[in-house]
Amino acid sequence: MGLLPGGFWDEHGGLHREFDLAPLTGREEELLAARAAARPAALVTEVLSRCVSRLGDISPVPPAVTRQLLVADRNHLLLQLRRATFGDQVRATLTCPWTECGERMSVDFSIDAVPVEPPPHRAPHYTETLKDGQEITFRLPTGADQEELSGRLAVNEAEALTALLARCVLDLGGARPDAERIAALPAITRLEIEERMRRAAPKVEQTLAAACAECGRTFVAPFDIHRFVFGELRTDNTLLYQEVHYLAYHYHWSESEIMAMTRDKRQTYIDVLADAIEVLNHGA
Ligand SMILES: [Zn+2]
């Protein structure tokens, strides 16, 4: 059992924070390998819906719920899913950012040690007064916003941020603003709104501090949780199906039984089989 840093507010105003999750199985690996090029935010929604078995009173947890989770809560769940599947220790490969160095290095850390900051207070939305005297009500960005805007972010970041504010600002000075009105706001007001949203949100650290053994300098590298977890999991489906075939051939298990196993468990049986076959071939 775990606890979301933020939490999910249902339509009746109930807050759900406790969660149970199950490690990824061959079925999720198949999905990830087949859709590796698909939009990552939509993939996070689907994978979380399959692996988070309970969220507060909600079980099973449909994509409609995992999509509405706060960005930090989804990142927290992804890290916990990685821990449940492969353990707490992570080895990340970084490149020294100083151009005259560029040394590649591996950095070890524990998922438990990734800093998580809860929000100052939890609410479905927040009403505050801006410095210019206008009252604002906003909600925090969710997976739905990431799904909607991820494509646009790559094309035009400023436009995507305007669209994000238009989605999250529920009321500004007595009316819900559209993207045009958000775009017309003074830059300082937009910055203030972004800063207030940032302060109200829970946070999961997405940077790694490292020291370069080659040049001796320290630096902070961005650590993209989506890319890390999915990059680590991306399995060639050919290899996955070979493993399934190998286990089915020797153990006579069904495809669905084998696909319901985690990668670690498949590997354990493959190792046991390899030892047993070795004994058969060469005698004990
Ligand atoms: Zn260096």
Side-chain angles (χ1 to χ4, degrees):
M1 198 200 82
L3 208 53
L4 292 181
F8 172 72
W9 292 89
D10 65 30
E11 54 192 351
H12 310 293
L15 178 63
H16 304 262
R17 289 185 62 206
E18 260 185 39
F19 64 84
D20 293 318
L21 55 75
L24 292 156
T25 69
R27 285 277 172 235
E28 284 78 48
E29 284 182 47
E30 185 180 39
L31 181 81
L32 287 168
R35 304 224 336 236
R39 298 174 312 153
L43 208 49
V44 173
T45 296
E46 189 163 345
V47 166
L48 291 182
S49 169
R50 296 170 68 107
C51 294
V52 177
S53 54
R54 180 181 69 88
L55 180 61
D57 302 332
I58 305 165
S59 179
V61 184
V65 170
T66 54
R67 183 174 291 125
Q68 296 298 334
L69 294 178
L70 300 180
V71 170
D73 284 346
R74 284 160 57 97
N75 285 338
H76 182 71
L77 285 171
L78 269 186
L79 285 178
Q80 297 313 309
L81 193 55
R82 193 279 182 190
R83 178 162 74 165
T85 310
F86 299 122
D88 186 52
Q89 287 300 311
V90 174
R91 169 160 293 186
T93 304
L94 300 179
T95 303
C96 179
W98 300 91
T99 44
E100 70 271 22
C101 176
E103 184 79 1
R104 283 174 75 77
M105 70 202 80
S106 49
V107 176
D108 293 306
F109 67 96
S110 128
I111 289 176
D112 257 345
V114 174
V116 174
E117 201 185 307
H121 74 275
R122 293 183 183 85
H125 40 74
Y126 299 81
T127 298
E128 300 179 2
T129 306
L130 295 175
K131 286 194 187 117
D132 67 6
Q134 289 191 95
E135 197 163 85
I136 185 172
T137 299
F138 61 84
R139 64 168 178 80
L140 297 173
T142 64
D145 302 313
Q146 289 180 308
E147 283 187 27
E148 186 63 35
L149 300 173
S150 61
R152 277 197 256 174
L153 203 55
V155 182
N156 185 336
E157 192 177 342
E159 197 186 281
L161 285 173
T162 297
L164 178 67
L165 288 185
R167 289 171 64 90
C168 292
V169 177
L170 307 175
D171 189 287
L172 183 60
R176 177 157 196 165
D178 57 12
E180 249 172 82
R181 185 162 162 229
I182 293 285
L185 287 173
I188 190 142
T189 306
R190 285 179 53 133
L191 278 176
E192 191 190 353
I193 296 172
E194 284 166 20
E195 174 61 16
R196 282 171 184 272
M197 285 171 57
R198 201 190 58 75
R199 261 185 285 167
K203 287 161 203 76
V204 173
E205 186 60 48
Q206 292 208 75
T207 60
L208 273 178
C212 178
E214 184 66 23
C215 71
R217 283 178 285 213
T218 56
F219 62 94
V220 173
F223 174 62
D224 183 326
I225 293 175
H226 290 189
R227 196 172 299 165
F228 162 68
V229 174
F230 288 158
E232 192 176 47
L233 280 167
R234 193 164 301 164
T235 307
D236 184 351
N237 266 348
T238 315
L239 180 65
L240 176 66
Y241 296 144
Q242 276 170 358
E243 291 180 5
V244 172
H245 165 77
Y246 186 71
L247 291 174
Y249 180 82
H250 289 281
Y251 285 115
H252 309 289
W253 291 328
S254 72
E255 194 249 11
S256 55
E257 284 169 322
I258 298 166
M259 288 294 276
M261 292 176 180
T262 63
R263 185 195 289 188
D264 277 1
K265 198 161 184 186
R266 288 199 312 271
Q267 199 52 56
T268 302
Y269 281 118
I270 287 168
D271 291 346
V272 169
L273 259 179
D275 288 347
I277 290 168
E278 180 81 0
V279 169
L280 277 178
N281 288 346
H282 302 287

